[in-house]
Structure formats: C-alpha cells, structure tokens
Amino acid sequence: MDDKLRTKLERLKEKKGSEREAGLLALAEESQAPQVYNELGIYYKNDANDNEKAVEMFEKALAITEDASVYTNLASAYFNLAQKDSPERKAYMKKTTDAFQAAARLNSASYYFLGNLYMPKINAPFPDDQEKAVSCFMKIEKNKGAIWAQAMKNVGLYYYHNKKDYIRASAYFYLVKAADPKDKKIANYYEYAFGKVNKRKFWVEQFKKMNDQNDVDRLIDAGKKKLEVRCPRCGSSKVSHISVWTNMKKTLSSSFGLRRFERYAVTWHCDSCGKEW
C-alpha cells in the first residue's frame, strides 16, 4: 500500500457512520486495494453490525491477496453469524473454522483463536473440546510472543485441572516463566503446580533443558525413564513398593526377631522374578 492510499485510509478512520462508509466505498472503487475492502469489512462488522456485508468485503479483499489478518476478520464475522439460531448456523460454524485454519496457515498465531473456539464457554455454538483446543495451542510458534505465552498457560492449566498431570503442567508454566521472569501471575501458577510434584530438584533440572513446547514430552518421558525403578536381577520394570508396615510385620513374625531385620529392611519387590531389595 502506497503512502497516499495509507493517508486517505487514516483520514477515513476518523470519520463516523455513513460518511465513513461512503468514503471507503469511493476509495475502494478508485483503488481496488485489499486494505480498503478490509477496512470496509471492519466497518460493517463493528460499526454497522452487518456481518453479511462484512463477509462480502473481506472475501473481496482475499480475492485480491491472501492475508492472515483478513482471514481472522472473516472468521470473526462468520462467528457472529453463527451465534444466531438459524438453519445456516452449522454452515457458518464450518466457515468460521475454515477461515481460522486459512489464517493459521499464513500465521501460526491464528491457532490461538482457533483453539479458543473449543475452550469451555457459555451459550456458544461450538462444542467444548479442550483436547482439540490444546492441539491448536501447541502449533503456535514461540516467536509469537504474548499469544504463545497465553497459549502455553492454557495448556498448563489443561494438564493441571483436566489431567492432574502436575509435572507437565509445571513444565508448560516453566516455559512461560523462563520467557518472562517478571510475570508474577505465571510464576504463581508454576509454584502452585510444582508444589504437587515429587523429586522437584530432579524435575527443575529437566525443565532447564527445554526450549519450547516441542521439548516437553520428550524430556518428561526421558526423565521418567531415568527415575524408573528396575529389578537389579532381571531388569524388569514390573516392581512393587514394599511399605514400612509390611516390613515391620515380616520382622515381628520372624522366628529370629530383630536378627532377621536386615533381611526384611527392603523397599522393592520384583513381580517378575521375586527378588526383593
């Protein structure tokens, strides 16, 4: 967009109502510029509350050139139309998701808006599907800044509340905390989730190796493998923890009493070969 057209658009943004609409329509006919059609769509969607007309303008802009922000505006207009209980509701819902998908192909930040469609909400036509929301949030690149941070916070909350997986919740909160150490709110989320994690010193060392969300599952799986107890005789991971009370009963029932204590002062039992250690 050249400077002359940009200046005209800025001036029209200051106008209101029909005067702004007339000016934008005249400028669109003169320039055939996608930016002008996009501004017309925003006017119809936000000021005139005419989402059908807004869709028409956004589609004209996209017919000239594809742009992630215009696809997002188009999705927003379709979303507004989907709020009405009409025979076209399902079609508008599909067009909303299609437009967000098209935007996300051009800019991964748009996955955030797509994910939000499936987050729990009141009186919304889209079904709650937090797993689908998380899959969208995970596709956002770290360089998207604040949107990425909010998405990772949402993923952490999902693992905390829905899955009770406090290690993974802590890992996602840690990513955001590391990106912005001054954010006290995310630091509180991290401390609250991490407070429920055993072997904290071990896990914080694992978290330090993470660069982004793609590292989380790999590092946590590797960490759990390191902590996995295996039988020293057969190498099996099918082991059971022996409680202190069980050890005490074995000791007291022994004919040699405390002399046999060392034999029963064990922690693990191998379910495969029977060894205790």
Side-chain angles (χ1 to χ4, degrees), residues 89-139:
R89 169 177 270 191
K90 286 187 177 180
Y92 287 140
M93 288 169 65
K94 185 178 185 307
K95 286 179 179 180
T96 301
T97 55
D98 287 348
F100 275 133
Q101 287 280 9
R105 285 196 295 272
L106 299 172
N107 183 349
S108 70
S110 295
Y111 279 114
Y112 180 75
F113 307 111
L114 187 60
N116 277 340
L117 289 180
Y118 303 105
M119 294 294 282
K121 56 190 81 70
I122 300 172
N123 297 327
F126 293 84
D128 294 347
D129 189 340
Q130 291 192 63
E131 288 189 8
K132 189 176 284 189
V134 166
S135 72
C136 292
F137 294 146
M138 291 291 290
K139 294 175 183 177

Side-chain angles (χ1 to χ4, degrees), residues 47-59:
D47 297 351
N49 196 29
D50 187 342
N51 288 284
E52 288 90 348
K53 196 72 174 175
V55 165
E56 181 186 339
M57 294 299 111
F58 293 137
E59 288 182 339

Side-chain angles (χ1 to χ4, degrees), residues 25-96:
L25 285 169
L27 186 58
E29 187 175 351
E30 172 194 331
S31 65
Q32 296 294 304
Q35 295 89 346
V36 183
Y37 286 119
N38 184 51
E39 283 299 324
L40 265 169
I42 292 171
Y43 165 78
Y44 286 123
K45 180 171 72 75
N46 296 340
D47 297 351
N49 196 29
D50 187 342
N51 288 284
E52 288 90 348
K53 196 72 174 175
V55 165
E56 181 186 339
M57 294 299 111
F58 293 137
E59 288 182 339
K60 281 186 176 182
L62 290 167
I64 300 168
T65 183
E66 287 193 310
D67 183 277
S69 63
V70 181
Y71 273 121
T72 300
N73 291 336
L74 177 63
S76 177
Y78 277 131
F79 179 84
N80 291 340
L81 290 169
Q83 303 304 306
K84 300 176 183 178
D85 190 6
S86 67
E88 295 85 12
R89 169 177 270 191
K90 286 187 177 180
Y92 287 140
M93 288 169 65
K94 185 178 185 307
K95 286 179 179 180
T96 301

Side-chain angles (χ1 to χ4, degrees), residues 133-141 151-152 155 172 213-214 217:
V134 166
S135 72
C136 292
F137 294 146
M138 291 291 290
K139 294 175 183 177
I140 300 171
E141 297 164 337
M152 292 306 100
V155 174
Y172 287 105
Q213 60 269 39
N214 298 317
D217 286 348

